[in-house]
Amino acid sequence: MATLPSKPIADDVSLLVVLIDTNPFFWSTSSSSLNFHQFVSHVLVFLDLIVRLSQLNQIVVIATGHNTCDYIYDSSLDTDQVTGEGELPALYSFVLQRLEEFVDKDEKLGAKQEGLSEKRASSLLSGSLSMALCYIQRVFRSGPLHPQPRILCLQGSPDGSEQYVSIMNAIFSAQRSMVPIDCCYVGSHNSAFLQQASYITGGVYVKPQHLEGLYQYLATVFAVDLHSRSFLQLPRPAGVDFRASCFCHKTTIDMGYVCSVCLSIFCKHHDKCSTCGSVFGKAQLDAASDRKRKASES
Amino acid sequence: MSSGQVTKRVKYKTSVKDAGTPGRLSLVKERLVFRPNNPNSASKLDMQFKYITNHRYTKEGSNKAPMLNLTSNQGASYIFEFESYEDLHTCRDFVGCANLMKFGHKGVAELLHRQQKLQILELIRKFIQNNPAEMICSSVQGCCKTIDFVLHSELQKLHQQFVGGGVLTEAEFWATRKKLLEKDSNRKAKQRGGLKSSVLAESKPFIDGRTNRVTFNLTPEIVREIFSEKPAVHRAYLNFVPSKMADKDFWTKYCRAEYLQRSKNIAAAIAEAAEDEELAIFLKPDDILANETRRKIRRVDPTLDMETDQGDDYSHLPDHGIFRDGSKEVPESGNELYQRTLLQDLNRHAAVVLQGTPIDEDQLKDTQTVAEALERSKQERSTASKDDDSSADQERLKGISQAMTIDDLRGSNDHHLAPLWIKDPRDYFDSRQASSVKTSIEATKGTMSSHESYGLLRESISQIKSMGLNHPVVASEVAQKVLSVLTHNISSTKYNLGKKPGESLLDSLPTSVRDELLHHHISIEELMKHFWSSYPITNKYLNTKVTKLKDEMSKMDSQLQKLKEAVQPDIRHQITLLIRPMQQVDDYFFPKLPSSIIRSPLFYRTPFLFVWCRRSRQQCSTTTPSSRRELQKLEKSRMDILERRNLLTLYVGWNRNFVETS
């Protein structure tokens, strides 16, 4: 059920939901020229830019941690307007403060589950995407006058294939709501999920080559509101990696079995689909071998 | 030949033995003229090439004088003796070309049939070189494939580049293109017909009860079968005919032996065999076969249990046995020497049929040729099998020793095979999906514990708080670089590709660049083909070949580089993407040889590009406006074509009368 297109207040107003990757395992092992300190500074300046572009611009910052996600900053909330302290502008110090608190919370949650999640180095992208979409839904229901929302994902951690289903669900609901998901991927190898997300929702996926100029990438590509995008040619990736994860083991697969009812993907032959419960007929190979066995017995 | 006219001093003869009238032979485009030195001589000749159906000439190595024999369509032959073989070759080429022009593809096929293929191609090439006006390659159906090749300038260019440049020899170049060199393949079936599975029993003699005569009908095919199934008879034939007895006598004796056997008159058979030793050969069991069978038995795997006992003897069981002529065959003991059972016949026949026939259909002309041909093929096989025997013995011993060893106590077999390491193709695609397993490896590689990682994050945040942000956040050079990269990416049309149907990247490039690219692509393909075929490198020849190919590849690479630089900047990026696989071949591939052959990334990038290039090339070639225009003109009027005498046209069903009358 598609929502009606929202009536913008003005053409060049944007409501931007930024998802920042704060996965400590990624940032501690990232060998690229970007460390967390530089990354945060680039992002802060970018957020400031967005806010200054128009008085009606709104931004929402959501942090994607290893064990949890949380709203960091919402420019429309009164509680988030604070006066500046020290050298940094108010926005920066506020965001940094909240980030720190979030990191503490994340660590505490991680300590409880010590030993279980050692292997996973991926962040909870599905969680933050869902939170962003919930926020956007709330905005939709708040009234006719709101800017067209979009999501910007600043991700560096690799994809967690166990999150495939949730991420795809989030992507499809974003597609339904006509919310583009942009992505600026600062990790080492391309992220299939985010490529698919941008491709399906009509967003922009950029993997910057020169990470020291990350701010320039953000300002050039992602600062533009949705209406003006129709006049600009934004960079698009050469190809999209459309590989999926199987529903039973969460491994990335190229070839597998697909349920014809609900289109869920499995890597091995199952008798029954775990998603929709439909019973599968015998695979053709098995049927042929059965016939042979029967013939030889008789 | 560039002048289009050849004049040579010749002697004109009407037959080979004739002394010949000296004179001058001039060959012009459509006619040949012979003027004798003596103006009063009657043997003047002036005729058009279209009346000449065939031409033969003496080979250079033979002791005969250089002569060219032209046969006209009325059956008369004109023989010209030249002063030297070069003259002969020149005139022959000229005549060949003239024939080509006239006969169209059928004539070419004829010529191909009679002469060496490479010579013909040379001929055609020379002809085209010297007649630079429009060369039309009409529609492929019906065209002789070789003509098509020659007119297909790509292949020609390739040929010139590699064979002319000394990188590949002619033989190697044509090795993969044998199809192009052969005449129409539907003319001659490549397969040899097999033997009929019906046993010789089908060839029953015609028994005339009245005159007491038995007539056997022997065709060369039957003779072949007899020789294949009974090598003793074959040997006897070779020994006796024509030295001891005539062909007919031999066969009479053979047929008599056959008759005796069929009649199952054992006593008579023995009696006659005692008298006539040659007849005895036919009646005795075949000793060559026996030897062969013994040898085969020796070669059987020793671990095979071949022990038989009384229970395996089914032929003496009651109610067993097949009726050949309605009566049961019971081989009597003592006289088995002169008897053949149906089973023996059938088995032998089956073995021969499965082996296949080593001689062609056209060698079945008469019994003598058949015998000789079979003998030749047998000799070839025997030389090949001589080493087999010794190696077979060794293998037997090896087999015995292997069978005796106990698997569990054996050491591991070390296979001297290079382990196949296929690199993950995702490495070479732009998008690489790190699987969760990989991330776990990466995660465990990090020496930090989770506490330390979180500590690092906190530290960064507090660092920003204390130090503030950098001024400027991004250095100006970096910002400029990023901007230029982005605009460069944006200005490229690569994401516009595929939006319009039928449009391809290659089409959008300027034609010269595109042609060069395609040429490079096929040259690289060719080089790679030869490169791969010469692995594994087992001898020096292959080694030198591979080095030559490597040098050529590096030359290609520099050419590609030059091409990239020469091209306009806005399409340079696309060209770089196109060329990248080709350059990868040189970068990744050659420096790391020979150990990394299997590991090359070549497989994963280049096939797709090549397929794409090939497809786009196909698109291009059928839609180039020049070829379309030419085809239209051809179909419009034949008279126009004839008037433009420099065209080489090959039409299916080109009407000869039409050529003659015009």
Side-chain angles (χ1 to χ4, degrees):
Chain A
M1 177 190 64
T3 53
L4 293 166
S6 50
K7 213 162 125 198
I9 307 167
D11 282 347
D12 53 356
V13 178
S14 49
L15 163 58
L16 181 62
V17 183
V18 183
L19 311 178
I20 302 182
D21 184 10
T22 60
N23 185 359
F25 299 110
F26 165 70
W27 288 115
S28 58
T29 56
S30 77
S31 53
S32 57
S33 50
L34 192 73
N35 56 26
F36 189 65
H37 164 222
Q38 290 167 344
F39 173 71
V40 170
S41 26
H42 285 286
V43 170
L44 282 176
V45 179
F46 171 70
L47 292 174
D48 201 22
L49 164 71
I50 297 282
V51 168
R52 287 173 200 272
L53 272 179
S54 163
Q55 276 205 321
L56 301 168
N57 274 354
Q58 294 173 37
I59 52 166
V60 178
V61 181
I62 300 176
T64 317
H66 182 66
N67 304 303
T68 183
C69 316
D70 201 5
Y71 295 97
I72 299 292
Y73 175 71
D74 186 347
S75 62
S76 57
L77 285 179
D78 293 332
T79 50
D80 290 356
Q81 316 286 350
V82 286
T83 54
E85 290 165 12
E87 300 166 353
L88 286 179
L91 168 68
Y92 297 4
S93 51
F94 183 79
V95 170
L96 288 170
Q97 178 69 31
R98 293 287 288 266
L99 261 181
E100 212 169 353
E101 291 163 12
F102 173 76
V103 167
D104 291 336
K105 189 167 94 171
D106 199 28
E107 189 180 7
K108 272 195 218 131
L109 283 171
K112 288 186 199 160
Q113 302 166 29
E114 194 74 56
L116 284 176
S117 46
E118 283 286 339
K119 288 194 184 155
R120 261 194 312 127
S122 56
S123 50
L124 286 180
L125 179 61
S126 56
S128 48
L129 267 179
S130 315
M131 289 177 88
L133 286 169
C134 288
Y135 183 88
I136 290 172
Q137 274 298 319
R138 198 157 51 110
V139 167
F140 279 149
R141 284 160 215 217
S142 66
L145 293 178
H146 57 84
Q148 181 64 14
R150 59 191 164 100
I151 300 177
L152 170 61
C153 202
L154 297 167
Q155 186 80 357
S157 325
D159 295 334
S161 48
E162 69 279 359
Q163 297 176 34
Y164 173 72
V165 179
S166 354
I167 293 182
M168 289 315 290
N169 286 339
I171 294 172
F172 291 134
S173 72
Q175 183 191 30
R176 278 276 181 81
S177 325
M178 288 185 285
V179 173
I181 300 180
D182 305 323
C183 177
C184 186
Y185 190 75
V186 297
S188 46
H189 305 284
N190 278 314
S191 154
F193 294 164
L194 288 169
Q195 274 182 338
Q196 291 185 42
S198 311
Y199 178 80
I200 293 172
T201 55
V204 179
Y205 174 90
V206 168
K207 183 174 178 307
Q209 292 165 324
H210 305 284
L211 283 169
E212 59 273 15
L214 176 66
Y215 167 73
Q216 189 62 53
Y217 282 99
L218 294 174
T220 318
V221 182
F222 300 112
V224 183
D225 57 276
L226 284 180
H227 180 74
S228 312
R229 279 193 186 181
S230 53
F231 312 124
L232 298 174
Q233 273 190 350
L234 294 173
R236 294 182 196 274
V240 184
D241 185 0
F242 279 114
R243 275 174 299 158
S245 307
C246 84
F247 282 45
C248 39
H249 305 107
K250 312 291 180 205
T251 50
T252 322
I253 54 171
D254 293 6
M255 289 211 315
Y257 297 87
V258 177
C259 169
S260 42
V261 176
C262 63
L263 297 181
S264 23
I265 304 163
F266 303 101
C267 53
K268 282 193 311 206
H269 178 71
H270 290 246
D271 289 330
K272 197 173 118 163
C273 172
S274 53
T275 321
C276 65
S278 48
V279 177
F280 296 135
K282 249 194 189 160
Q284 276 203 338
L285 294 167
D286 294 345
S289 61
D290 277 350
R291 264 187 258 122
K292 277 192 193 155
R293 254 187 279 125
K294 284 193 188 143
S296 60
E297 281 165 20
S298 64
Chain B
M1 250 197 98
S2 49
S3 59
Q5 180 178 17
V6 170
T7 314
K8 297 278 176 237
R9 241 177 275 180
V10 296
K11 284 196 206 163
Y12 167 56
K13 312 170 157 185
T14 43
S15 72
V16 181
K17 300 264 168 49
D18 186 20
T21 349
R24 297 187 90 81
L25 173 72
S26 13
L27 304 168
V28 208
K29 249 208 185 19
E30 283 202 343
R31 56 199 316 124
L32 69 87
V33 181
F34 173 73
R35 297 258 174 273
N37 289 339
N38 187 357
N40 298 327
S41 166
S43 47
K44 256 191 282 186
L45 191 62
D46 182 352
M47 53 186 273
Q48 296 190 321
F49 275 126
K50 56 191 181 190
Y51 296 118
I52 295 178
T53 51
N54 187 21
H55 66 282
R56 292 201 299 268
Y57 57 96
T58 54
K59 284 227 166 37
E60 186 144 358
S62 67
N63 293 330
K64 306 188 196 147
M67 286 192 283
L68 179 67
N69 181 349
L70 301 168
T71 326
S72 79
N73 60 349
Q74 275 136 16
S77 66
Y78 308 95
I79 305 177
F80 298 99
E81 184 181 338
F82 292 87
E83 291 182 345
S84 70
Y85 270 101
E86 286 91 47
D87 292 352
L88 166 65
H89 290 325
T90 333
C91 287
R92 176 203 68 194
D93 289 345
F94 196 96
V95 173
C97 289
N99 266 345
L100 268 181
M101 255 203 6
K102 175 173 75 83
F103 282 108
H105 89 289
K106 253 209 285 188
V108 172
E110 292 256 88
L111 287 172
L112 285 177
H113 182 51
R114 288 166 222 261
Q115 298 179 358
Q116 276 186 15
K117 284 101 186 184
L118 281 175
Q119 277 177 1
I120 281 290
L121 289 172
E122 263 308 304
L123 215 114
I124 297 166
R125 211 174 299 134
K126 271 192 231 159
F127 179 71
I128 290 170
Q129 274 169 10
N130 298 317
N131 297 281
E134 312 94 323
M135 284 293 148
I136 293 176
C137 176
S138 78
S139 62
V140 182
Q141 17 156 333
C143 277
C144 182
K145 282 190 189 120
T146 48
I147 303 285
D148 196 25
F149 141 72
V150 175
L151 294 179
H152 201 281
S153 54
E154 275 180 33
L155 207 48
Q156 194 181 13
K157 259 204 282 176
L158 213 58
H159 185 261
Q160 250 173 349
Q161 182 183 357
F162 289 137
V163 179
V167 181
L168 298 168
T169 64
E170 281 276 0
E172 286 164 4
F173 187 78
W174 291 111
T176 48
R177 298 190 170 84
K178 287 212 179 77
K179 268 201 198 164
L180 285 175
L181 289 179
E182 277 165 7
K183 53 193 186 279
D184 307 2
S185 50
N186 50 7
R187 285 245 315 212
K188 180 178 168 183
K190 295 262 162 75
Q191 278 181 323
R192 269 200 201 125
L195 291 170
K196 283 196 239 158
S197 57
S198 59
V199 189
L200 276 176
E202 301 294 318
S203 57
K204 278 209 160 83
F206 172 67
I207 303 180
D208 190 353
R210 274 194 298 131
T211 58
N212 247 5
R213 268 163 152 243
V214 179
T215 321
F216 278 84
N217 221 349
L218 288 176
T219 63
E221 272 155 13
I222 297 183
V223 167
R224 173 176 72 177
E225 236 181 291
I226 294 174
F227 284 159
S228 310
E229 291 184 20
K230 302 177 189 166
V233 174
H234 188 203
R235 181 182 59 188
Y237 183 85
L238 290 168
N239 292 339
F240 295 159
V241 174
S243 50
K244 256 197 177 179
M245 58 169 90
D247 194 36
K248 198 164 171 217
D249 296 333
F250 180 86
W251 288 115
T252 325
K253 280 223 168 107
Y254 175 79
C255 296
R256 187 161 181 76
E258 275 294 306
Y259 176 70
L260 283 169
Q261 282 212 325
R262 266 170 213 272
S263 60
K264 301 214 188 353
N265 199 343
I266 313 297
I270 299 174
E272 293 230 12
E275 285 178 11
D276 194 351
E277 62 175 48
E278 280 129 28
L279 204 63
I281 298 175
F282 299 135
L283 292 171
K284 267 195 297 194
D286 205 324
D287 57 339
I288 301 180
L289 268 182
N291 281 339
E292 264 183 45
T293 343
R294 246 175 260 135
R295 209 178 336 131
K296 276 189 209 157
I297 289 175
R298 256 184 265 133
R299 278 203 256 152
V300 170
D301 188 358
T303 55
L304 181 66
D305 185 6
M306 288 201 353
E307 210 180 294
T308 60
D309 62 2
Q310 201 67 12
D312 289 323
D313 183 16
Y314 54 83
S315 51
H316 288 103
L317 291 174
D319 298 330
H320 183 91
I322 323 168
F323 289 43
R324 193 174 188 165
D325 299 328
S327 65
K328 182 159 172 184
E329 276 187 10
V330 181
E332 293 167 15
S333 57
N335 291 325
E336 281 165 7
L337 209 54
Y338 292 100
Q339 273 198 320
R340 271 193 342 253
T341 58
L342 176 64
L343 279 174
Q344 284 174 329
D345 281 342
L346 275 176
N347 285 340
R348 181 70 199 140
H349 184 78
V352 165
V353 168
L354 286 175
Q355 247 175 15
T357 161
I359 57 177
D360 284 331
E361 289 291 326
D362 51 355
Q363 281 173 316
L364 292 178
K365 294 214 185 84
D366 64 73
T367 50
Q368 184 72 24
T369 17
V370 175
E372 281 167 9
L374 276 174
E375 177 64 22
R376 249 178 286 137
S377 64
K378 221 189 283 186
Q379 270 172 5
E380 285 162 15
R381 248 186 290 162
S382 69
T383 48
S385 66
K386 259 184 200 150
D387 329 312
D388 283 349
D389 275 351
S390 55
S391 61
D393 284 337
Q394 276 177 2
E395 272 185 43
R396 258 187 59 244
L397 292 170
K398 198 171 159 203
I400 293 172
S401 64
Q402 264 186 357
M404 293 201 300
T405 54
I406 304 173
D407 277 337
D408 295 337
L409 300 178
R410 253 198 280 191
S412 65
N413 270 341
D414 74 343
H415 302 276
H416 298 286
L417 302 167
L420 184 67
W421 179 28
I422 298 177
K423 238 183 178 170
D424 191 359
R426 283 168 263 170
D427 288 347
Y428 301 96
F429 287 123
D430 281 334
S431 61
R432 174 175 172 164
Q433 169 74 11
S435 64
S436 51
V437 178
K438 262 194 178 149
T439 53
S440 72
I441 295 172
E442 280 171 23
T444 51
K445 263 193 198 162
T447 48
M448 301 200 199
S449 71
S450 60
H451 182 73
E452 282 170 6
S453 325
Y454 280 108
L456 204 76
L457 275 186
R458 268 193 289 261
E459 216 181 276
S460 320
I461 296 172
S462 45
Q463 205 178 18
I464 304 175
K465 267 195 192 165
S466 52
M467 283 183 3
L469 300 170
N470 289 337
H471 281 297
V473 175
V474 171
S476 56
E477 303 89 30
V478 176
Q480 196 178 27
K481 211 182 351 164
V482 166
L483 267 178
S484 58
V485 161
L486 279 175
T487 34
H488 192 70
N489 267 346
I490 289 165
S491 69
S492 81
T493 54
K494 64 181 167 166
Y495 63 88
N496 278 334
L497 280 182
K499 298 270 172 75
K500 267 191 246 168
E503 187 196 278
S504 79
L505 173 63
L506 287 175
D507 278 338
S508 59
L509 296 172
T511 37
S512 60
V513 173
R514 184 188 66 196
D515 292 339
E516 232 188 297
L517 266 184
L518 289 172
H519 177 72
H520 278 297
H521 149 60
I522 48 176
S523 348
I524 291 178
E525 234 185 32
E526 181 69 20
L527 283 174
M528 293 314 300
K529 246 196 293 186
H530 286 280
F531 184 82
W532 283 117
S533 67
S534 36
Y535 269 87
I537 301 180
T538 47
N539 57 30
K540 206 167 142 208
Y541 167 73
L542 287 174
N543 211 355
T544 43
K545 181 169 169 193
V546 166
T547 12
K548 265 194 261 168
L549 288 171
K550 269 197 260 188
D551 297 334
E552 189 69 23
M553 267 307 302
S554 38
K555 253 191 270 163
M556 288 261 121
D557 186 48
S558 53
Q559 280 175 9
L560 281 172
Q561 197 63 30
K562 268 188 245 150
L563 167 75
K564 256 205 298 187
E565 283 155 19
V567 127
Q568 280 191 335
D570 54 348
I571 49 174
R572 199 175 298 166
H573 180 63
Q574 295 154 47
I575 299 215
T576 322
L577 288 178
L578 273 180
I579 297 179
R580 203 193 301 166
M582 299 192 214
Q583 287 185 313
Q584 266 181 349
V585 168
D586 202 51
D587 295 337
Y588 284 99
F589 195 46
F590 284 99
K592 296 187 187 165
L593 288 169
S595 55
S596 64
I597 309 150
I598 302 169
R599 304 167 189 188
S600 80
L602 175 60
F603 296 114
Y604 300 108
R605 269 332 256 287
T606 49
F608 301 108
L609 173 67
F610 286 176
V611 166
W612 185 25
C613 272
R614 203 178 294 141
R615 256 194 248 128
S616 0
R617 179 159 50 120
Q618 281 171 1
Q619 268 185 353
C620 297
S621 58
T622 53
T623 56
T624 47
S626 58
S627 69
R628 248 187 277 130
R629 247 187 281 127
E630 300 288 2
L631 281 173
Q632 285 169 2
K633 281 188 201 155
L634 277 177
E635 274 148 19
K636 235 197 285 179
S637 63
R638 290 174 170 179
M639 291 304 291
D640 288 346
I641 294 163
L642 282 174
E643 280 168 14
R644 298 147 93 206
R645 274 140 47 154
N646 285 336
L647 295 177
L648 176 70
T649 55
L650 305 162
Y651 256 117
V652 181
W654 181 260
N655 197 341
R656 214 187 240 195
N657 294 334
F658 192 67
V659 175
E660 286 170 350
T661 51
S662 58

